[in-house]
Amino acid sequence: EIVLTQSPGTLSLSPGERATLSCRASQSVTSSYLAWYQQKPGQAPRLLIYGASSRATGIPDRFSGSGSGTDFTLTIRRLEPEDFAVYYCQQYGSSPRTFGQGTKVEIK
Amino acid sequence: EVQLVESGGGLVKPGGSLSLSCAASGFTFSDYSMNWVRQAPGKGLEWVSSISISSIYIDYADSVKGRFTISRDNAKNSLYLQMNSLRAEDTAVYYCATGGIGYSFDYWGQGTLVAVSS
């Protein structure tokens, strides 16, 4: 099983600032099958990034993903008020399809 | 518009059973592998089970193996999860989502709450 470790657990930032979220895998993620999801309270997760760096349909270009192998990053270039949420990474290249524990981006 | 609507959640006693359904619309259901993902109150996401397009490939998390059964009916555009021998730790919101090995979970339902308590 691939274990995904996200850091930091909580990120306290102001609107307009840049957010950098990390996801580290316990072993190499097959073919960069790494996704990022956003979840707001009371809502289902929403796909942001797939294939480590491809934006899902309708996702603003302030969201970007990078990385390969065992180290991946989600960057939010300039935080908008609606971006404050919890973010999860997930590997979907092997079973079980594991999720990281999440990073909460909160308003400072 | 893609829609996934879960139903069947509720309160059940430990050791009891519950059956969840997920009704799909707005896309060709038979073209997508499907999953159940759960989220315990205040916790993160946990993949539970997946089923391939023609139900040939089925997989479960170790935490539910032998107790839960996933199935689908492509003619009815529906996904199911039969949950037996329920435990308190199965308490969670259960989401259905599209996606298989090599595919991200593009679409999600809004979830249905399962509470296991005496």
Side-chain angles (χ1 to χ4, degrees):
Chain A
E1 171 177 333
I2 297 178
V3 176
L4 299 179
T5 302
Q6 292 187 239
S7 61
T10 302
L11 203 48
S12 298
L13 294 168
S14 300
E17 289 194 293
R18 180 187 189 96
T20 303
L21 287 67
S22 173
C23 177
R24 182 160 291 175
S26 60
Q27 55 188 282
S28 186
V29 175
T30 304
S31 302
S32 293
Y33 287 150
L34 192 287
W36 290 92
Y37 301 86
Q38 177 193 67
Q39 188 179 33
K40 298 179 181 179
Q43 296 185 16
R46 176 175 72 145
L47 176 67
L48 298 176
I49 301 288
Y50 64 94
S53 60
S54 298
R55 270 188 303 277
T57 303
I59 301 303
D61 62 6
R62 64 180 181 272
F63 291 91
S64 63
S66 63
S68 64
T70 60
D71 287 299
F72 299 88
T73 300
L74 174 70
T75 301
I76 310 172
R77 194 172 64 239
R78 282 186 308 274
L79 283 164
E80 297 286 343
E82 62 268 27
D83 299 336
F84 292 91
V86 179
Y87 293 84
Y88 295 94
C89 60
Q90 181 214 22
Q91 67 81 22
Y92 52 94
S94 63
S95 193
R97 270 142 280 184
T98 45
F99 291 88
Q101 82 278 19
T103 290
K104 181 179 182 180
V105 179
E106 65 175 22
I107 299 177
K108 187 174 181 181
Chain B
E1 179 195 3
V2 171
Q3 274 204 312
L4 294 168
V5 179
E6 301 92 340
S7 61
L11 176 63
V12 61
K13 289 181 168 52
S17 298
L18 209 56
S19 181
L20 304 183
S21 298
C22 170
S25 60
F27 66 104
T28 305
F29 179 74
S30 57
D31 284 349
Y32 286 78
S33 293
M34 296 296 297
N35 303 270
W36 289 99
V37 177
R38 69 184 180 183
Q39 186 170 37
K43 303 297 184 183
L45 302 170
E46 179 189 16
W47 169 79
V48 171
S49 181
S50 67
I51 186 167
S52 62
I53 290 169
S54 53
S55 305
I56 290 175
Y57 177 78
I58 287 176
D59 201 7
Y60 299 97
D62 286 345
S63 57
V64 306
K65 202 170 291 184
R67 301 187 299 122
F68 290 11
T69 302
I70 191 172
S71 62
R72 66 188 294 163
D73 186 335
N74 288 340
K76 294 184 178 179
N77 292 336
S78 292
L79 174 72
Y80 306 101
L81 186 67
Q82 176 65 40
M83 304 184 294
N84 299 329
S85 303
L86 282 162
R87 306 166 180 167
E89 54 264 36
D90 295 319
T91 294
V93 174
Y94 285 72
Y95 297 100
C96 63
T98 61
I101 289 290
Y103 294 88
S104 52
F105 291 12
D106 291 6
Y107 305 116
W108 297 66
Q110 283 304 300
T112 188
L113 176 62
V114 172
V116 184
S117 174
S118 53

